Amino acid sequence: MNSDVQIAGDPLDIPHLLPPVPAHPSTVSAFAGLARTIAADRDGWAPLVRYDATSRWYHRLRTGPGYEVWLLSWVPGQGSGAHDHGRSSGVLTVLQGELTERVGTRGVGHTLRAGAQRVFAPGYVHDVVNDSLEPAVSLHIYFPGLTEMPLHPTQSAELSAATAPVAASSVPPAAAPGTLGVMGG
């Protein structure tokens, strides 16, 4: 009598019977899960963090097909300015400390403590700032990868003078670790 393996062959040797391996997370929930997984690996990201008093520090932690992961540090008082992420959606996860997020150009601030996450779609305008007295670290996943970060005038700028929209800033696709004054949340 023949065994199932003798009749059908080794099931691991038949690729068409296996579910396809996703090229990258395929849902917002899966990207949020990826962020939580990376956040839980403190030994993987904490040694990389640097703090810069003159400009926010950032480091591209990883890239995958259609997405990229950034690590940012924020000393007290540093902020992103009101911006969106062009055609990218994203997940913002606070890893250490706390950040304040203001949604829209006139938004009320919400405190995000370590472990908090925000997900956003293209066109989501927010400002992220470290209003606390301690440094903070955050993780940002953008899908597709971040190619632009247009800045938006804030309510205070609108009230102080007639303003035109601020020119869009670009983040180079192969930016090396370092500092970037406009890298946002």
Side-chain angles (χ1 to χ4, degrees):
M1 182 135 186
N2 293 327
S3 73
D4 290 343
V5 171
Q6 289 171 323
I7 294 169
D10 184 352
L12 297 179
D13 195 32
I14 306 173
H16 67 278
L17 295 178
L18 301 174
V21 177
H24 60 75
S26 59
T27 64
V28 172
S29 177
F31 277 108
L34 174 62
R36 285 190 300 275
T37 299
I38 295 169
D41 182 18
R42 187 176 182 86
D43 292 340
W45 59 262
L48 302 172
V49 175
R50 303 290 178 263
Y51 298 98
D52 186 327
T54 59
S55 181
R56 282 178 305 117
W57 174 89
Y58 70 94
H59 172 73
R60 187 171 12 205
L61 192 59
R62 145 184 340 180
T63 59
Y67 73 95
E68 55 189 16
V69 180
W70 292 86
L71 187 63
L72 281 74
S73 70
W74 313 71
V75 299
Q78 287 180 337
S80 64
H83 66 280
D84 68 55
H85 302 91
R87 63 187 192 98
S88 299
S89 294
V91 178
L92 158 65
T93 305
V94 179
L95 301 177
Q96 177 181 305
E98 63 182 49
L99 295 169
T100 301
E101 179 192 41
R102 291 177 186 84
V103 179
T105 58
R106 301 171 190 207
V108 175
H110 302 280
T111 300
L112 305 174
R113 292 181 175 79
Q117 287 190 306
R118 284 287 192 261
V119 297
F120 51 87
Y124 180 81
V125 176
H126 68 160
D127 179 14
V128 180
V129 65
N130 182 352
D131 284 333
S132 76
L133 298 176
E134 299 294 326
V137 179
S138 58
L139 181 80
H140 306 251
I141 299 180
Y142 300 107
F143 47 96
L146 191 64
T147 58
E148 63 178 328
M149 228 177 70
L151 297 175
H152 297 266
T154 61
Q155 180 181 22
S156 60
E158 290 169 355
L159 294 175
S160 65
T163 59
V166 179
S169 299
S170 293
V171 177
T179 58
L180 179 64
V182 298
M183 187 69 189

